[in-house]
Amino acid sequence: MIIFQVALIIFFALAAAGAFLRHKRNEITASRAAGWIFFWILAAVAIILPGAPDYLAHAVGIGRGADLVSYVSLTVLFYLVFSLYVRLNKIEKQITKVVRDEALREKGE
Amino acid sequence: MIFVVVPAYNEEKSIGRVIRGLFGVARGLTQMGDGLTRMSIVVVDDGSDDATARLAKEAGAQVLSHQVNRGQGAALQTGDEYALKRGAEAVVHFDADGQFNPTDIAAALKIIESGQADAVFGSRFLDNRSKIPFIKKYFILPVSRAVNNFLTGAKLTDAHNGFRALSRKALLKINITQDGMAHNTEIVRQIKKSGLKFTEMPVEVTYAEYGQGIGEGLKILRDIIFNKF
């Protein structure tokens, strides 16, 4: 295996361990930790079996494994960013509600 | 009772002057015996970290305070709810930076009182009193106007004007959820949807500062689009 693969696998292992630790520290839920660990394992598999992404790619009709990885990653990322934005928006509205209620209450409503 | 809602964020330099100007108009209206009941001035201090709230209180206004800054739309909604709870017959939205001319309020209230419209929107373009900066007048505003008219369905001459007079009926139809500057579009859209009569009237705007530029305009568009989801 080349150095790049080794380095990436070490990184994925650390990331998975990090997810596990955060769950132990009650920072994230079990399902979220499991989700991320699964993701990092998948990433490691794609690295260890260099043919894996290519195999999958051909199975769905795309030329190269690297392309498949890019397409899927981008899609997932866009979706994640979008849902984060929606979530942020919701939180902003909640903050406004709290601030408004306090302002009105202070004035004797 | 008419409530003038003044959303303010760090406006200590102008708030005293603005409130005194508004009280002057209030006194004038009562003297004319216009059939208008008393006018109350409500400043919504939107999390200012300067002396805005204190100066507003000293000038004699009612002051509501947001503990942190939420945006002009949010401040207006807070002021509107306060006014409604106190039985407001009409509400006027008036900026705190001294760009508006308080004497325009009398004309706006007349329109509401006469039943000509339930909502009056100020426009810089219906007369020549406002001196609008060049790029703003010929490039930024025409684009904003077109976009706004498309998004709201109403054909207004001014894209974005903080001067508004709303009857109680109109107030009840409005719920400002856009905390930032997009509330201008949101309010117009809600009025249009309600089927209530609305109209524009000329208001005078004096530019000491630029106001919203292209960057802020894009931000507003983003907020409106994302809100549709």
Side-chain angles (χ1 to χ4, degrees), chain B residues 127-202:
Chain B
D127 66 7
N128 284 316
R129 286 180 296 161
S130 307
K131 311 253 167 294
I132 308 172
F134 185 81
I135 297 204
K136 196 155 201 178
K137 185 172 187 183
Y138 293 108
F139 293 95
I140 299 181
L141 282 173
V143 174
S144 323
R145 193 160 47 226
V147 172
N148 238 27
N149 288 342
F150 168 69
L151 289 171
T152 62
K155 300 262 171 291
L156 297 180
T157 62
D158 200 334
H160 199 134
N161 194 303
F163 184 95
R164 260 167 238 115
L166 302 162
S167 69
R168 186 181 181 82
K169 234 198 285 177
L171 253 184
L172 289 168
K173 294 283 185 191
I174 288 174
N175 181 30
I176 305 173
T177 64
Q178 290 286 350
D179 292 350
M181 281 301 175
H183 68 273
N184 277 289
T185 310
E186 193 184 24
I187 292 176
V188 173
R189 198 188 312 150
Q190 288 175 348
I191 293 287
K192 176 90 170 108
K193 243 175 89 172
S194 73
L196 291 171
K197 275 184 288 184
F198 62 92
T199 183
E200 283 186 296
M201 74 164 237

